[in-house]
Amino acid sequence: MSWLINSSIGRKLIMSVSGIVLVLFLLFHLSMNVAAVFSAEAYNTICSLLGSNWYAVAATAVLAAIIALHFTYATLLTLQNRKARGSNRYTVSARPKGVSWASQNMFVIGLIVCGFFILHLSQFWYNMMFTEVLGHEEATLCDGTTIGTTDGAAFIEYYFSHLWVVVAYLIWYTALWFHLTHGIWSAFKLSGGTMRYGSNDGKLSPTFWLRSSSSASPE
Amino acid sequence: MTTINSKIPEGQLAEKWSNYKAHQKLVNPANKRRLDIIVVGTGLAGASAAASLGEMGFKVLNFCIQDSPRRAHSIAAQGGINAAKNYQNDGDSVYRLFYDTIKGGDYRARESNVHRLAEVSNSIIDQCVAQGVPFAREYGGLLDNRSFGGAQVSRTFYARGQTGQQLLLGAYSALSRAVNKKQVKLYTRYEMVDLVIIDERARGIIARNLVTGKLERFAAHAVVICTGGYGNTFFLSTNAMASNGSAALQCYRKGAYFANPCMAQIHPTCIPVHGEFQSKLTLMSESLRNDGRIWVPKKLEDAKAIREGKLNPTDIKEGDRDYYLERRYPAFGNLVPRDVASRAAKERCDAGFGVGNTGLAVYLDFADAINRLGKKVVEEKYGNLFQMYEKIVDDNPYETPMMIYPAIHYTMGGIWVDYELMTSIPGLFAAGEANFSDHGANRLGASALMQGLADGYFVLPYTIQNYLSDQIGVPRFSTDSPEFEAAEKAVSDKLTRLMNIKGKHSVDSIHKKLGHIMWDYVGMARDAEGLKTAIGKIEELKKDFWTNLRIPGNKDDQNVELEKALRLADFIEMGELMARDALNRNESCGGHFRVEYQTPEGEALRDDEHYSYVSCWEYQGENKAPVMYKEPLDYEFVKRQTRNYKS
Amino acid sequence: MDKNINIKVKIWRQRSPKEKGFFETYNLENISQGSSFLEMLDILNEKLINEGKEPVVFDHDCREGICGMCSLYINGHPHGPDEDVTTCQLHMRKFHDGETITVEPWRSAGFPVIRDLMVNRSAFDEIMQAGGYVSVNTGGVPDANSTPIAKDKAEMAMDAAACIGCGACVATCKNGSAMLFVSAKVSQLALLPQGRIEAARRAKAMVAKMDELGFGNCTNTGACEQECPKSISITNIARLNREFLSAKFKD
């Protein structure tokens, strides 16, 4: 299986598979958080179901490994690609019509996503799962507020009462959106599927569908 | 007097090639490994020959001047490739393809060679399909055909308007495979600068590495020249910028005969010249004449007004238009062969009816076709050509008629070869457009691709063995021999001489002058007086070249101007040879039209009694007139007729 | 209507692969908009030669958009600002009076500069030699019509086969990836029954050679397709991915 590391398409496969797993996690995370919109109680029940339970910690470790893999490969690929461009850069270069900005700036967008991700971890994961793993039942925040580690709803209420946090999260979602539109599309391209949604311009519309490229199969 | 031995095998026409193959000498596999072959050129003939010879086990050295074998100018052929498959069940046969080619060539080709070409044509299609060439197909999955000028059957296989590209890429893929298997060693950006002869046999070449500028020596048991034609003698032609006749001329100077140099084909449908800065002419496919109607104004004053920009072609009323091809050749109309259509256009323009700001253009009008078929159908058929025209001329051919004018396209003449494709120098072979063999005085559309691949895939791999079979005892040569030494020194001296001229004029400026002389006096219509003038003017130009040329840079370095200068020196010599041959041939046939020899209606007047021969020119030394020998053309199997496209 | 324009051309000059390159700017007057871009460079070179200077070196040959020899990165676009054309088909009417036109060579580690605007693209030949063919010898092949091929398959193969190997895809790709070039050949042959037999072997061999020669990793930006003078589709890249992955998983 060394081709996964040694070949360009193998490396691309690792990026796309790890990316897809992260997207699935996001969907899972999203579906839990939706509960908070309807009922604080329901949400806190979910929080306590996860908490510092072994399966949740194990899943978190796996997730961390995948994020590390995705990040490491992204760095590696970006460095390789920079090298492949040669030592002289173009003095004038123009983005061709129909090429999305996101597709050409995945690493930078990815870094922005990472930055906010760390903020997000420090606000929620650190005070909830991590504090609980350390054996505490309550987390003390920087302004002295204390909140129970399984009271997710209270954390949400606390943080999103600050305007800057709301703005920061909106920026994060935007970056994430750009990253995912190209990422998901690209991942499907990789598996040999052909995406049909108007054009190949890398913009994701709600009505995309997959068409397997049967044309490539032997008959 | 030297007699020319073309080594045509005995027997009935249809049996000659089989007989030859049955009795020729072969080289066994172990011995093939000990024999080296140099192939110069990677076009259809060169790539297919190098790949095939490599596969057979010979050690092949293959050279090209471009950065990749795939750039050879065969790639630009548009229309298609002929073969006698008779897939359409329309009565085609090997004999019919043979006959059409002989007739199309105005009875100036060798019967035996042409018949062999027709015989192997079918194998070419099989080979290309096996290589993955995406020919056009019918809905049933079988191959499609189209028809082309000079034939009454549909025998042309095609891949959109890019048949040459696809066939060349097929040959290039076979070559790539042979390179991968170490059967062929590839030298790109190398230009052959001389042929090396040892004991009267071709034994190697001197080549210039175009990146470093260094001269290098290569030895082999046989040398094959597949370097295309010399159409660029005219400066403006449909050939690529680097297409040149130098390899052929080097062979000529070393003793190979040059055959029929005056036979050049002028293609009627090219985009007209638009200014002095123009570097090349672009061909518009012959297929356009299927639906386009060619005309010029009937009245001189209308033509003048158009030239001055006071009138548009659409302002000319139907009754004031002269559809001169339809008028002169009612039976074939706009679909007369290339030579006829070209001459007719020149005749009208010379008479003052030409259009465009230079007066050197005629209209190719699609208005009727658009009315009859609808714009959509016309677009489907010719859309890509119309787009190409619009990009170059900035005029919309759907609304205003296209302007076209003839241009030099192909050279039927070339190095003389016998039936085995061997030149008059033992061990030196020539294939493809570089040799003279199959097209006589005029080549039919879609036959150049056929001939290049026939030579490379199916003829040379056989015939070269007949020569090499007695060479198996000859060990590999050292390139340190005095012959290599002398050849390299001669080239080096020539380069030094060129660099030392230190005049004032660029290579291109002198080449343009040569082009004007050629076009004016050795072009579509020639006469004895003009040809003599041309020879005189070329002599002067030669002096001009050797006293006024300026080449910047150094000799032993990459130097594009020096490359061009070397080629131009040969083009000048080539131009003179063309004029001499045209002057000698007191008849009109195919692409060679002598004004003195025409029928009262202005058609070509052939003289079979006196000129039914291949003129073979032998070099006698610098500034000496070459000597001509005749290879008589005996028509045993075909009865010669006058070509008639009127009724 | 075409008129004559005055322009400045800012051209990359570099003596050899090892020497450092630099830009030089030339003024050109009365250039007809009817001339092609390369004819404009011819005029410039004529001028330089007359001044006793060394002409600008650039690759070109057929000048009708099919041989793939011409290159040039013009004002930020490979083959210039016009669409679906090669540099040799680009005309000066795409530029206006007084404009400064920046002309650079293809810049990619896979295509080192030889001199000025001329680059070395033999890497493409090497990739082709690694497997861009059907392994048949001359002769001994079946009749051309013995294997029917569906028209749409043949057309798709032809679409891919239209690649001219100019390298614009690599030049424009921010990753310096050669995937479009490689995938066009892999697709053409994988779509046809003749090439299907060794499709897996071909895909692996060509990708391995491409990676070995230092081309970058494809990230599906699609710039190659947009700038390709022959509009080769990135669907071919998807097909190559699929061919390659299925070949590897089968191993």
Side-chain angles (χ1 to χ4, degrees), chain A residues 164-176:
Chain A
W164 72 268
V165 175
V166 177
V167 172
Y169 272 74
L170 285 176
I171 295 173
W172 186 27
Y173 291 154
T174 313
L176 201 57

Side-chain angles (χ1 to χ4, degrees), chain A residues 53-69:
Chain A
N53 291 316
W54 68 269
Y55 50 85
V57 175
T60 307
V62 171
L63 203 59
I66 291 172
I67 290 169
L69 185 71

Side-chain angles (χ1 to χ4, degrees), chain B residues 53-271:
Chain B
L53 294 168
E55 285 161 9
M56 288 162 71
F58 294 108
K59 199 183 140 230
V60 178
L61 312 173
N62 193 195
F63 296 79
C64 72
I65 53 176
Q66 296 91 346
D67 70 335
S68 162
R70 65 183 293 159
R71 316 273 189 227
H73 199 52
S74 306
I75 203 143
Q78 297 170 351
I81 177 167
N82 288 331
K85 281 286 194 185
N86 193 28
Y87 282 158
Q88 306 304 321
N89 198 29
D90 54 3
D92 201 5
S93 64
V94 166
Y95 184 82
R96 212 171 264 281
L97 175 55
F98 153 76
Y99 180 79
D100 287 345
T101 309
I102 284 279
K103 180 187 170 201
D106 222 356
Y107 306 94
R108 289 292 174 265
R110 214 184 267 153
E111 276 183 323
S112 55
N113 281 54
V114 178
H115 198 277
R116 177 179 64 190
L117 174 66
E119 282 173 60
V120 303
S121 67
N122 291 342
S123 307
I124 297 172
I125 304 301
D126 298 341
Q127 187 66 34
C128 295
V129 167
Q131 287 169 347
V133 170
F135 281 122
R137 286 176 183 269
E138 305 271 13
Y139 279 105
L142 302 182
L143 292 161
D144 192 17
N145 290 118
R146 57 164 66 144
S147 53
F148 244 69
Q152 288 163 307
V153 294
S154 287
R155 61 160 73 102
T156 306
F157 294 80
Y158 66 101
R160 294 200 189 139
Q162 293 139 271
T163 318
Q165 179 197 29
Q166 292 312 313
L167 296 178
L168 182 63
L169 293 182
Y172 164 69
S173 72
L175 176 63
S176 298
R177 172 169 169 255
V179 172
N180 190 43
K181 294 174 98 171
K182 309 240 182 308
Q183 294 158 331
V184 175
K185 177 118 176 58
L186 199 57
Y187 294 87
T188 58
R189 294 198 199 263
Y190 270 79
E191 180 159 16
M192 172 178 171
V193 283
D194 208 1
L195 177 73
V196 179
I197 293 184
I198 301 177
D199 296 336
E200 296 184 344
R201 288 174 192 262
R203 289 302 193 199
I205 63 167
I206 308 290
R208 187 163 176 271
N209 180 330
L210 298 182
V211 175
T212 64
K214 301 277 181 299
L215 296 175
E216 297 177 25
R217 306 171 186 182
F218 300 92
H221 293 85
V223 177
V224 185
I225 302 295
C226 310
T227 49
Y230 47 90
N232 267 348
T233 307
F234 288 71
F235 186 71
L236 287 181
S237 79
T238 63
N239 288 6
M241 301 306 285
S243 299
N244 67 79
S246 289
L249 264 244
Q250 288 149 22
C251 298
Y252 165 70
R253 279 193 294 264
K254 292 273 166 142
Y257 303 147
F258 209 106
N260 289 344
C262 78
M263 307 289 196
Q265 182 171 70
I266 294 175
H267 200 292
T269 51
C270 299
I271 298 178

Side-chain angles (χ1 to χ4, degrees), chain C residues 7-8 11 26 32 37 44 58 69 76 166 182 188 229:
Chain C
I7 49 165
K8 282 190 172 76
I11 292 182
Y26 306 94
S32 162
F37 193 84
L44 170 65
F58 60 94
M69 186 95 173
C166 65
V182 175
Q188 177 206 338

Side-chain angles (χ1 to χ4, degrees), chain A residues 54-114:
Chain A
W54 68 269
Y55 50 85
V57 175
T60 307
V62 171
L63 203 59
I66 291 172
I67 290 169
L69 185 71
H70 196 75
F71 183 81
T72 313
Y73 262 71
T75 314
L76 187 76
L77 286 173
T78 304
L79 289 175
Q80 278 179 348
N81 291 346
R82 275 188 72 82
K83 199 174 147 216
R85 285 291 323 118
S87 45
N88 279 311
R89 306 268 127 189
Y90 288 116
T91 308
V92 181
S93 59
R95 180 152 53 87
K97 211 163 50 178
V99 171
S100 74
W101 173 83
S103 72
Q104 296 201 313
N105 295 283
M106 285 296 275
F107 188 72
V108 176
I109 305 172
L111 284 182
I112 297 171
V113 170
C114 264

Side-chain angles (χ1 to χ4, degrees), chain C residues 173-231:
Chain C
C173 177
K174 76 174 190 66
N175 307 324
S177 163
M179 280 289 273
L180 192 65
F181 169 78
V182 175
S183 70
K185 189 45 74 178
V186 166
S187 283
Q188 177 206 338
L189 297 177
L191 283 162
L192 300 170
Q194 290 84 355
R196 191 61 243 167
I197 295 151
E198 49 186 333
R201 197 172 78 121
R202 178 182 309 113
K204 285 188 288 185
M206 289 180 81
V207 169
K209 184 50 94 177
M210 169 184 82
D211 291 342
E212 177 197 320
L213 293 171
F215 291 100
N217 305 281
C218 170
T219 61
N220 288 324
T221 68
C224 49
E225 177 188 67
Q226 294 300 323
E227 296 287 22
C228 173
K230 298 293 155 186
S231 306

Side-chain angles (χ1 to χ4, degrees), chain A residues 185 189 192-196 200 211-213 215-216, chain C residues 156 160 179-180 183-184 187 191 220 222 224-225 231-242:
Chain A
W185 177 79
K189 265 280 182 216
T194 324
M195 300 280 264
R196 273 278 310 274
N200 267 332
R211 194 180 54 164
S212 117
S213 72
S215 48
Chain C
M156 280 158 73
M179 280 289 273
L180 192 65
S183 70
S187 283
L191 283 162
N220 288 324
C224 49
E225 177 188 67
S231 306
I232 306 292
S233 164
I234 53 171
T235 306
N236 293 311
I237 296 183
R239 197 177 285 118
L240 168 60
N241 289 334
R242 187 188 167 100

